[in-house]
Structure formats: C-alpha cells, structure tokens
Amino acid sequence: MGRKITIKEVAAKAGLSATAVSQILNGKGARFSKKNIQKVLQAKEELHYVPNSAARNLSNKTDSTIGVLVPTISNPFFSEFLQLLENYSDAHTHILMVGLDGDRSQLYSAIEGLIGQNVDGLIIAVAIQENSQVTNLLKENRTPYIVLDQNSSKNSDFIASDDFHGGEIVAHYLYSLGHRRFSVVVPDKNAMTANLALRLQGFTETCRDLGIQTTQIQIVKTAFTKHGGQRAVPNILAFKPSAIFTLSDELAIGVLGGLFNAGEQVPRDYSLVGYDDTDYAEFTNPKLTTVRQPVELIAKYVLEMLKNRIADPQIDWQVMAVDVELIVRDSVREI
Amino acid sequence: MGRKITIKEVAAKAGLSATAVSQILNGKGARFSKKNIQKVLQAKEELHYVPNSAARNLSNKTDSTIGVLVPTISNPFFSEFLQLLENYSDAHTHILMVGLDGDRSQLYSAIEGLIGQNVDGLIIAVAIQENSQVTNLLKENRTPYIVLDQNSSKNSDFIASDDFHGGEIVAHYLYSLGHRRFSVVVPDKNAMTANLALRLQGFTETCRDLGIQTTQIQIVKTAFTKHGGQRAVPNILAFKPSAIFTLSDELAIGVLGGLFNAGEQVPRDYSLVGYDDTDYAEFTNPKLTTVRQPVELIAKYVLEMLKNRIADPQIDWQVMAVDVELIVRDSVREI
C-alpha cells in the first residue's frame, strides 16, 4: 500500500518539531521566526507534502466533502449536473459522487457509505420516501441534506423545477397546433418518481381541461432509457397518435430511432416533444422540441442551500422552485 | 453543522465502554459475551450509528477510497466509464470523482485534493506528462495510480485501447469503399492527447501506405465537443472530401448536425465515421459507423490492476492493451 509523505518527514527536513510544522502549516505559526516558517514551507514544497484533509475533517477542518447521489451518472441530465457541481464548487470542496445505475435497493447502503466517509452534507437526486429507513438514517446522524429532482418533500430542504407546469405547456402547445390524439411515454414502475408523475399529471389534466377525452391519450410504460424509448414504438404505431410526448430527452431519442427504423418520419408522420433539453436535443435529426430544465441554476442553488444548512442546521426548511420553458425546434408540426 | 451519532452514544445505550463497542464492531469482540455483543449491535441499529470510515481510513481500514480523474464527466464515454466503475466496485469501495471540464490547469490541485482525502489509489484518465510536477507529487506521496486513455507511459501502470489500430482500420475500410479524399476532425491543442494523436497517426500513415497523397487529407482542428464538430463543417465543405473521420462520436454528432443544417446528407453527400461507440451511436440518423472501445473491459481491468498495485507496490509495471473494432452502421457508403 502507498505511504504518503508524513508531517514527521517534513519536520525532519526543516529541523523543527512536528508540532511546530503543524502549527505553521495551519496558519498558527505567528510565534515562529520568518526563517523557520520559510524552512517549513520549503520542506513542504520539496517533499510534495499534502496535509491530510481526511484527518482534518475529523477536527478543525478547512476542506469539506459533499456527497451526491444520482440515479445514473451516464444519463446526460445528471452528468451535466455533476460537472456543473464540480465547476461551481471551490477548490476546498470535494464531491463524492455515487450513481445507483437504476438499482434503488442500493440506496440505503450508498447513503450509509457516504455518511461513513464523513461527508459534510448530501445532495440527493434519487427518490427517497419521507419517514423511511433512509430519512431516519440521515436524521439520526444529523447529516445535512437536500433533496431534488425526483422528490416531493415537506420535511427537508428541497429544490425542484416546476414539473407540473412542464407537462402543462406541452399540452397547450400541441393543442394549439391542432393535435388531439397523444401517446405519452413514461418510465415503468421502477423508475417512476414524484417529479415524473407531476409532468404526466400536468399534461393529462391540461388535456382534460381542453376537452380531450382520456381515450385519446395512450400512456406507454417502458424502461427510462434510449432503448426503452425505442421499444415503446410498436405500441405507439398501433395507437396512431398525431403527437408523442416523452418524459425525458433520452426517451425521445429512443422513440426517434424506433420511428426511423419503422420508416416513419418526424414531424411529417408523428410530432415529438421531449423533456430536459440536454445538450443532445439540438443534435438530433430533426432537432428536438423539448422542455428546458435550468440545470445550471439548479446546480448553483443546491450548493448554496446546502451551504446554508451546514452553516446553521436550525434555519427553516429552504424550498426553491425553478421554472421550465418550452424550447421549440423542428420535431413538431401543425396539423 | 451536522453531528453524527458517536461511538460514545452507542456505548451509553449498550451500557458498555466505547472501547468495548469499538472492538465488537470491528470484529475483535471474541472476549465479550453473546449478550453484550447483541446489546451493541442492537444499539447500533436503533441509533443508526455509522462507523466512521474516514477515521478508519487512517488506521486499520476496511473501506477503501479510489479517486478518479476524468477530463469531462458529461462526455458520454467518461460518464459510462464512471458508472461502470461504480457497478464493478464492491460496497466497501468509495469512488471520488473529479471532472476537470477541460481545464487542465486544475490538474495539480485536483490530485493534491484527492491525496489530501487519503485515497488508496488513483485512476487518471487525464493526460499527464512523465517526470512532471504531477508525477512527482504522486510518487513522493507514494500514491498508487494507474493512467489510462489519454496517456502513453513507461513509468506507471497503464491501460489503453489500441488507438493506432483504430485509425488504421478506419483508413482501410474507407479506402476499400472507394474513398480517396478525407477530412479528419481532431481536437485543438488544448484537448489533443497522446491517445488521440495515435488515432490520427494510424489513419494518416495507413493512407500514406495506401498511396494517398497528403494533399488529399485535410486536418480540421476544433473544440472536442459536439459544438466543436458542428463548427468544423464550413471548413469541411470547402475541402469537399468524400469521407469524414472524427476522433470521437461527440465530434461526429456535431458534424452530422452541421451537415444537416447545411442541407447535406449522410452518407449520400458525405460518409462519416466516429470513434468510441458511445450508446448514442446507434441513435443518430443515420446510425453512426464508428470504432468501438470496450469501455466495460477497460473499467474492469483498471480496477483490478489498481487493486494489485495497492496490495503490492513492488510488482512490475502492469501494462494492458485492449483491442478496438469497427462497428459498421449506416453513415458510410461505397463510391
């Protein structure tokens, strides 16, 4: 096993005690001569000594570690989110990421693992139930955490984009272009979460208000991936809607591939609307009309809110909703 | 700041000393009665006590932490790689991920940060120079590490797919279909790395061997992203090749978008070959012919090799090359 340079080696090189070196490197070296301070800094430099922040985490820490749980790292919405968290956090903040890859049975042990790593706080973008084993684990360990995206919560810090509104604007838009018969592609039970249910609800309730009968709306359940979207296509073709709404861009990319394989054209034969506006949406053929979630804002807010919570666990619950918008590209036509 | 449940609280609840609790929970409790062991386990359960692996990391550890550095988390090749590392590592292995988002000036401080987090080993998928400040930092801290993907190394553990061969098979394939004039889309200086240079070299040297003059090969440098690929298109159109080879699928997706915007069709007007076979390649329109890197194998091997190195720092350098293969889909035509 590797062995790091120790403070004793720095001390030996500088000709001072380990305690003196520790005080100097922790900014408490006012009582030492400039010459000795210089010696220590030079020894640190020459030996490439790295102070141990895992150890410092246990006492008077300067570095902080934030754990982030996402359903799947390789979903572009989450990989963009993770990269933005990195970009927005400072050099003393370390991000411990865990992707469950769709296996929610790992949730408890993943959070236990992160708490064991002594994280200062957690960002949980995976659905958790209130008053569950998981929330008990978090609360009893007094771990500051914030839930987002997949959750609807009244008993924790919470950030969400307005998913109901997202579904609503898609319904209004398609209706305004003459569409009256729809397939909605949604994840199967394993991946269905509070926020996705809200997108669907916003869509169906708005359709009802617009006078569309429920028999004109097909709900297709499938795996929440590109391949899942592709596998939904035979069902969609059998129903013959004029427009398709998928609850993610990944699903839309899959549906687009499946329709293309079946010799159908978008938007000539079927109009298609996605959700997320990941950076693939403008590179599909045709370019994808979709609902944009402001992932930059979400990443910024979530770090800020978690920082507030860590600084003072007693503050009121912080709840933030960010808005969504329809991005019109080329995958929908008027009929 | 949050406060975790401490071992003292568990001890108080169990009616035993903290030392006894520690010994029992660390599997060294043979001298205690079954009843006392049961009391401790029950108290641990009821209080949701999580032993501190960050502290254990400093002494007789059972958990291990591996740091992973990638250029950009949101590039699908790397996000798939990261998710696979998670999937293949056991529950006691924690993965600390850092994505530089293209900013290589952060490399030194990122590695310093990971060493400070007391990682047991590092996986470095970012280009590092041999005998640089960075390798000195690693070696002097005796941090076990393995480099991959972007590097060519003789003085560290090293895993790579056969990039030269990747370029070679693309050249042979396009030549066999009658193509004699090529644009190659490559990253600009910021993102050019040893492995990408090998792909290009494999392509151009094979072309030379096949009797193609260098004036028939255009090298277009651009940002290593979808948007970069898109911006390369005007230069490509001016050169009028019959086929385009991009050094990544992300670039190919961008080129495809740019060609589509310009009213050009693939493969009718231009043939196109990507590199990586990320899971988007079969969802482009047309489906992308590309070179497959076996990312699952790479993720498996890299964990295994790092484990070997951590277990015994004295073993010989481990070097592993994995093969690549051409995946023929629909973006190339015979001319």
Side-chain angles (χ1 to χ4, degrees):
Chain A
M1 191 144 61
R3 194 178 66 81
K4 286 178 58 182
I5 292 284
T6 64
I7 198 162
K8 284 184 188 160
E9 290 168 85
V10 179
K13 187 160 188 107
L16 289 163
S17 73
T19 312
V21 171
S22 168
Q23 289 180 318
I24 288 169
L25 292 182
N26 285 303
K28 295 172 188 162
R31 69 186 173 88
F32 297 98
S33 69
K34 275 193 184 162
K35 196 174 142 201
N36 279 341
I37 291 174
Q38 196 49 45
K39 270 189 200 162
V40 168
L41 294 178
Q42 198 175 330
K44 170 181 187 279
E45 182 76 19
E46 286 174 15
L47 293 172
H48 289 91
Y49 170 66
V50 180
N52 192 336
S53 35
R56 267 187 287 147
N57 279 349
L58 303 174
S59 51
N60 64 328
K61 56 199 304 177
T62 54
D63 282 32
S64 65
T65 305
I66 290 175
V68 188
L69 265 171
V70 299
T72 317
I73 297 167
S74 55
N75 175 306
F77 178 77
F78 291 110
S79 63
E80 284 171 33
F81 174 67
L82 292 170
Q83 184 65 62
L84 287 164
L85 288 181
E86 286 270 352
N87 297 357
Y88 293 149
S89 58
D90 62 36
H92 294 288
T93 304
H94 306 281
I95 312 263
L96 254 173
M97 299 170 195
V98 176
L100 298 181
D101 206 18
D103 184 1
R104 277 204 239 162
S105 67
Q106 299 299 314
L107 181 59
Y108 189 93
S109 69
I111 290 183
E112 206 175 33
L114 287 166
I115 293 174
Q117 284 293 302
N118 221 37
V119 292
D120 296 276
L122 285 176
I123 296 169
I124 303 177
V126 174
I128 56 172
Q129 305 289 324
E130 291 188 49
N131 303 313
S132 60
Q133 280 286 93
V134 166
T135 53
N136 289 342
L137 177 69
L138 289 163
K139 302 218 187 248
E140 307 221 356
N141 283 287
R142 294 131 178 123
T143 307
Y145 70 98
I146 175 163
V147 298
L148 83 160
D149 195 64
Q150 307 222 336
N151 296 274
S152 141
S153 173
K154 281 171 203 136
N155 290 307
S156 67
D157 292 328
F158 176 45
I159 182 166
S161 66
D162 191 345
D163 289 288
F164 187 92
H165 184 58
E168 200 176 1
I169 55 183
V170 173
H172 275 294
Y173 177 67
L174 291 173
Y175 186 88
S176 75
L177 294 177
H179 295 277
R180 298 292 183 270
R181 187 171 168 88
F182 306 106
S183 291
V184 188
V185 185
V186 310
D188 53 26
K189 212 172 50 185
N190 287 327
M192 197 62 175
T193 51
N195 70 324
L196 296 174
L198 279 173
R199 289 176 201 173
L200 175 59
Q201 199 187 340
F203 184 82
T204 55
E205 290 191 8
T206 307
C207 283
R208 192 196 56 202
D209 295 347
L210 290 166
I212 291 172
Q213 295 196 305
T214 53
T215 53
Q216 297 302 304
I217 303 177
Q218 176 196 39
I219 312 283
V220 186
K221 293 180 185 173
T222 190
F224 200 44
T225 60
K226 291 189 283 295
H227 285 98
Q230 191 172 33
R231 284 194 300 269
V233 167
N235 280 334
I236 295 170
L237 294 178
F239 186 71
K240 291 204 174 303
S242 67
I244 304 160
F245 172 38
T246 66
L247 296 192
S248 75
D249 285 355
E250 288 283 280
L251 284 175
I253 289 171
V255 167
L256 201 57
L259 289 172
F260 179 79
N261 291 348
E264 307 285 346
Q265 280 189 29
V266 173
R268 191 194 65 186
D269 306 318
Y270 294 90
S271 288
L272 177 64
V273 180
Y275 205 106
D276 285 337
D277 198 31
T278 63
D279 64 358
Y280 287 89
E282 56 175 310
F283 288 97
T284 56
N285 176 1
K287 297 191 180 82
L288 188 65
T289 292
T290 188
V291 177
R292 177 163 160 67
Q293 297 208 70
V295 61
E296 297 87 357
L297 264 187
I298 295 173
K300 259 184 204 164
Y301 285 151
V302 80
L303 284 172
E304 203 176 298
M305 287 163 72
L306 186 58
K307 212 166 148 186
N308 296 341
R309 173 64 53 200
I310 292 170
D312 182 1
Q314 304 305 326
I315 54 172
D316 289 342
W317 293 132
Q318 307 169 89
V319 175
M320 171 84 76
V322 294
D323 216 352
V324 296
E325 61 176 321
L326 185 73
I327 305 293
V328 174
R329 296 199 180 92
D330 307 326
S331 61
V332 176
R333 77 175 179 100
E334 192 164 358
I335 60 169
Chain B
M1 191 146 62
R3 195 177 65 81
K4 286 178 58 182
I5 292 283
T6 64
I7 198 161
K8 284 183 189 162
E9 290 168 87
V10 180
K13 187 161 188 103
L16 289 163
S17 73
T19 311
V21 171
S22 167
Q23 288 180 316
I24 288 170
L25 292 180
N26 285 303
K28 295 171 187 162
R31 69 184 174 91
F32 296 96
S33 68
K34 275 193 184 160
K35 196 173 144 201
N36 279 340
I37 291 174
Q38 196 50 45
K39 270 189 199 164
V40 168
L41 294 178
Q42 198 175 329
K44 169 180 187 277
E45 183 75 20
E46 286 175 14
L47 293 172
H48 289 92
Y49 171 66
V50 180
N52 192 336
S53 35
R56 267 188 288 147
N57 279 350
L58 303 174
S59 52
N60 64 328
K61 56 198 304 174
T62 55
D63 281 32
S64 66
T65 305
I66 291 174
V68 188
L69 265 171
V70 299
T72 317
I73 297 167
S74 57
N75 175 307
F77 178 77
F78 291 110
S79 62
E80 285 172 33
F81 174 67
L82 292 171
Q83 184 65 61
L84 288 164
L85 289 181
E86 285 270 353
N87 296 357
Y88 293 150
S89 58
D90 62 36
H92 295 288
T93 304
H94 306 282
I95 312 264
L96 255 174
M97 300 171 194
V98 177
L100 299 180
D101 207 17
D103 184 2
R104 277 205 239 163
S105 67
Q106 299 299 315
L107 181 61
Y108 189 92
S109 70
I111 290 182
E112 206 175 33
L114 287 166
I115 294 174
Q117 285 293 301
N118 221 36
V119 291
D120 296 277
L122 284 176
I123 296 168
I124 303 177
V126 174
I128 57 173
Q129 305 290 324
E130 292 187 48
N131 303 313
S132 60
Q133 279 286 93
V134 166
T135 52
N136 289 342
L137 177 68
L138 289 162
K139 302 216 187 249
E140 307 221 356
N141 283 286
R142 295 132 177 120
T143 307
Y145 70 97
I146 175 163
V147 298
L148 83 160
D149 195 66
Q150 307 222 337
N151 297 273
S152 140
S153 172
K154 281 171 204 136
N155 291 308
S156 66
D157 292 328
F158 176 45
I159 183 166
S161 66
D162 191 345
D163 289 289
F164 186 92
H165 184 57
E168 199 176 0
I169 55 182
V170 173
H172 275 295
Y173 178 66
L174 291 173
Y175 186 88
S176 74
L177 294 177
H179 295 278
R180 298 292 183 270
R181 187 170 169 90
F182 306 105
S183 291
V184 188
V185 185
V186 310
D188 52 26
K189 211 171 50 184
N190 287 327
M192 196 62 175
T193 52
N195 70 323
L196 297 174
L198 278 173
R199 290 178 201 172
L200 175 60
Q201 199 188 339
F203 183 83
T204 54
E205 289 190 9
T206 307
C207 282
R208 191 197 56 202
D209 295 348
L210 291 166
I212 291 170
Q213 294 196 307
T214 54
T215 54
Q216 298 300 305
I217 302 176
Q218 176 196 39
I219 313 283
V220 186
K221 293 180 187 175
T222 190
F224 200 43
T225 60
K226 292 189 282 295
H227 286 99
Q230 191 171 32
R231 285 195 299 269
V233 167
N235 280 334
I236 295 170
L237 295 177
F239 186 71
K240 292 204 171 303
S242 67
I244 304 160
F245 172 38
T246 65
L247 297 193
S248 75
D249 284 356
E250 287 284 279
L251 283 175
I253 288 171
V255 167
L256 201 56
L259 288 172
F260 179 78
N261 291 348
E264 306 286 345
Q265 281 188 29
V266 174
R268 191 194 65 187
D269 305 320
Y270 294 90
S271 289
L272 177 64
V273 180
Y275 206 105
D276 285 337
D277 197 32
T278 64
D279 64 358
Y280 287 90
E282 54 176 311
F283 289 98
T284 56
N285 178 0
K287 297 191 180 80
L288 189 64
T289 292
T290 187
V291 176
R292 177 163 162 65
Q293 296 208 69
V295 61
E296 298 88 358
L297 265 188
I298 295 174
K300 261 183 203 161
Y301 285 152
V302 80
L303 284 172
E304 204 176 297
M305 287 163 74
L306 186 58
K307 212 164 147 188
N308 296 340
R309 174 64 52 201
I310 291 170
D312 182 1
Q314 304 305 326
I315 54 172
D316 290 342
W317 293 132
Q318 307 168 89
V319 175
M320 170 85 76
V322 294
D323 216 353
V324 296
E325 61 176 321
L326 185 72
I327 305 293
V328 174
R329 297 198 181 91
D330 307 325
S331 60
V332 176
R333 76 175 180 99
E334 192 163 359
I335 59 168

